[in-house]
Amino acid sequence: MALTDLLPQMNQGYDDREPLLGLHDEEEDEREQIYGRKNVQASKLVSIFNLTHTILGSGILGLPGTLANAGTVFAPMLIIFGALAAAGGLYLLGIVQRGTQSATYHELALQAHWLAPWFVNLAVVLKCFGVSCSYMVIVGQLVPLSFQRFELGHPILEDRHLWQGLAMAVVLLCCFLKDLKSLRYFSLAALIAILIFVGFVFIYFIAADQGHAPKSISTPMFSFSISTLLVLPTITYSFTCHQNFPTIMHEMAKKTPDAQNAVIFYSILTCCALFLLTALTGFFTFPDTIKGSANILDNYPASNIPANLVRIAISLSCVFCVPFQIHPARVCTINLLRMILPKPLFTRLKPYMRFLVVFVLCMGVFVVTYFVVDLGLIFAIVGSTGSSLICFGIPAYFYFRITTSYMTRTRATTLLAASLALLTPIMLGCGLFAVIFTAD
């Protein structure tokens, strides 16, 4: 889930922080001015990079905790299942995108049904708003923990609300920038921070294990309880990237089924391997203390300098990635308002719409994260609502609505689409149980 965009050719695929849906009027001109993506011809390798970059995000921080909730064997199995399900959704989108040559999720929605843009816009708003909340919660958790190392004697420096407020001030300034191109390097830095985090978790596990007797693990291999329902939404949240897939595929120089399937396969395989590596090494480093923790970085000692550097790197990347979540959320919110408000009222408000929507979204994120401190709760809610719709429900819906006689429906793809459609309400149910469980 949830941290993408970069340089010349690598700056070609969208991620979940860019305008995902169809824009209108001056907003479309703004997109072209900001990202300059006309007539892009991306290679297969660049497309794999862009899709992988889109997937890797804050969800990886919560994966070690899934082993405590689902078991040391069952949780990795669920991660692999999540990878396969996410790949299935991408595969369906690839079939539909090749048949329609649509460049965005919005274009696919318009071809599916006139009401479909409602659900697509709403799902993206929910997802992007939730991811923004997760970033701010991470900042509130990690920055105060880093300052404990310095023992400055100022309790205010360990107050999460202070750092969340400062972070939101930076986010507001960035969100109102006319040209977001200047922030694209922070997106690349976010990917580097995630890879450093994965490397740190692995190296710390190896170093901590040397010269010590094997730890006794009390967690069973298979665990089935209400807390297990927290696992599926977290994994779905981690693999969400589908809203950008039509654009990434549209920008490929070679748009053959084999090339697109290769992009899906290698991207999902890479992310699944990194997720499993982080989940296993992170959990077995802290098998007794990680239960209930949705952020593995909370478990490392505050006195550990490398851990604090990783915390600061992740926190900074989260701050500068929030604007890339607010941007598509703003576009989709304005699209919804365009459909809801009477045309004269919308026209009257249009000059102020960008400022008002961005301000309301940012203040909403700040208010939610002011009171919510449980990162796992955000993973559960977003993963079971916006992420499950984007990953499973909407691709299946597009497949059934758009495929016609000129796009051959096979029994296997139809069964896949039906399975993903059924998985969507199951994920929603898991989210409801997760909320109840967390509240207790």
Side-chain angles (χ1 to χ4, degrees):
M1 172 127 224
L3 284 151
T4 244
D5 212 275
L6 34 173
L7 313 165
Q9 198 191 9
M10 294 291 190
N11 193 12
Q12 295 172 16
Y14 278 177
D15 79 328
D16 53 354
R17 294 159 306 222
E18 297 181 0
L20 313 173
L21 306 183
L23 308 183
H24 301 268
D25 305 327
E26 75 279 356
E27 291 174 348
E28 187 171 358
D29 296 333
E30 178 189 73
R31 172 199 177 281
E32 293 175 357
Q33 175 189 353
I34 292 174
Y35 297 104
R37 298 204 173 167
K38 281 188 173 182
N39 302 319
V40 172
Q41 294 291 304
S43 67
K44 186 192 297 185
L45 183 61
V46 170
S47 298
I48 293 172
F49 177 88
N50 285 326
L51 188 58
T52 302
H53 192 356
T54 303
I55 298 171
L56 293 175
S58 58
I60 196 172
L61 299 176
L63 293 179
T66 62
L67 275 74
N69 290 327
T72 56
V73 174
F74 190 41
M77 291 173 60
L78 289 177
I79 293 175
I80 295 172
F81 171 78
L84 294 174
L90 293 173
Y91 179 75
L92 293 180
L93 286 175
I95 294 175
V96 176
Q97 194 272 337
R98 287 195 302 272
T100 61
Q101 294 301 310
S102 298
T104 66
Y105 232 45
H106 185 73
E107 291 178 12
L108 289 175
L110 289 173
Q111 296 194 47
H113 193 273
W114 68 274
L115 280 176
W118 279 80
F119 300 103
V120 173
N121 281 286
L122 183 60
V124 173
V125 171
L126 287 173
K127 185 259 181 187
C128 292
F129 184 85
V131 173
S132 299
C133 290
S134 73
Y135 288 159
M136 296 303 294
V137 169
I138 290 170
V139 171
Q141 288 179 340
L142 298 186
V143 177
L145 194 58
S146 300
F147 271 87
Q148 291 180 11
R149 166 72 174 79
F150 301 102
E151 301 179 352
L152 298 178
H154 296 284
I156 192 173
L157 295 178
E158 299 178 13
D159 183 2
R160 68 182 183 88
H161 297 128
L162 168 68
W163 296 108
Q164 288 175 332
L166 293 175
M168 185 52 65
V170 175
V171 168
L172 275 170
L173 291 174
C174 294
C175 286
F176 290 122
L177 286 175
K178 180 66 176 177
D179 186 358
L180 292 182
K181 187 188 298 184
S182 58
L183 297 179
R184 70 184 185 274
Y185 299 103
F186 288 104
S187 182
L188 175 59
L191 175 63
I192 296 173
I194 287 292
L195 295 177
I196 291 174
F197 159 75
V198 174
F200 167 77
V201 172
F202 176 73
I203 293 172
Y204 193 96
F205 166 75
I206 297 298
D209 193 52
Q210 290 182 353
H212 294 81
K215 298 177 182 178
S216 59
I217 307 298
S218 59
T219 304
M221 292 188 294
F222 293 86
S223 177
F224 302 96
S225 63
I226 295 179
S227 62
T228 307
L229 299 178
L230 293 165
V231 174
L232 281 173
T234 300
I235 294 172
T236 303
Y237 175 99
S238 302
F239 279 105
T240 304
C241 62
H242 300 59
Q243 71 280 4
N244 305 313
F245 183 72
T247 302
I248 294 175
M249 293 299 97
H250 183 75
E251 292 177 348
M252 284 186 66
K254 188 177 181 181
K255 299 180 176 63
T256 63
D258 288 343
Q260 292 185 350
N261 292 339
V263 171
I264 296 171
F265 175 79
Y266 289 111
S267 299
I268 293 294
L269 180 65
T270 300
C271 293
C272 185
L274 291 175
F275 288 169
L276 287 172
L277 177 65
T278 304
L280 292 169
T281 56
F283 172 79
F284 285 109
T285 303
F286 306 101
D288 299 322
T289 60
I290 198 172
K291 189 172 181 63
S293 173
N295 188 343
I296 180 62
L297 287 174
D298 288 343
N299 294 270
Y300 293 94
S303 59
N304 187 281
I305 295 178
N308 285 321
L309 293 176
V310 172
R311 291 186 184 109
I312 293 172
I314 293 292
S315 299
L316 287 174
S317 65
C318 285
V319 171
F320 288 102
C321 283
V322 172
F324 291 104
Q325 295 288 343
I326 296 296
H327 187 67
R330 169 181 67 83
V331 172
C332 295
T333 301
I334 292 176
N335 284 343
L336 289 171
L337 292 174
R338 181 181 283 105
M339 291 184 280
I340 295 172
L341 298 177
K343 188 173 182 179
L345 178 59
F346 182 84
T347 303
R348 195 177 309 131
L349 294 175
K350 192 173 182 180
Y352 316 102
M353 193 72 72
R354 172 177 174 161
F355 174 84
L356 290 174
V357 171
V358 167
F359 184 79
V360 169
L361 287 171
C362 288
M363 289 302 98
V365 170
F366 180 74
V367 170
V368 169
T369 54
Y370 188 91
F371 296 102
V372 177
V373 298
D374 188 352
L375 186 61
L377 178 63
I378 295 177
F379 287 161
I381 294 176
V382 179
S384 61
T385 54
S387 291
S388 64
L389 283 171
I390 291 172
C391 287
F392 311 133
I394 293 177
Y397 175 73
F398 284 167
Y399 176 81
F400 284 121
R401 287 290 302 181
I402 297 176
T403 52
T404 57
S405 57
Y406 70 89
M407 280 187 278
T408 304
R409 285 189 188 178
T410 65
R411 182 177 300 178
T413 53
T414 301
L415 180 60
L416 172 63
S419 301
L420 293 181
L422 181 62
L423 187 58
T424 305
I426 293 175
M427 293 298 302
L428 181 59
C430 289
L432 293 175
F433 274 96
V435 171
I436 296 171
F437 173 76
T438 305
D440 293 339

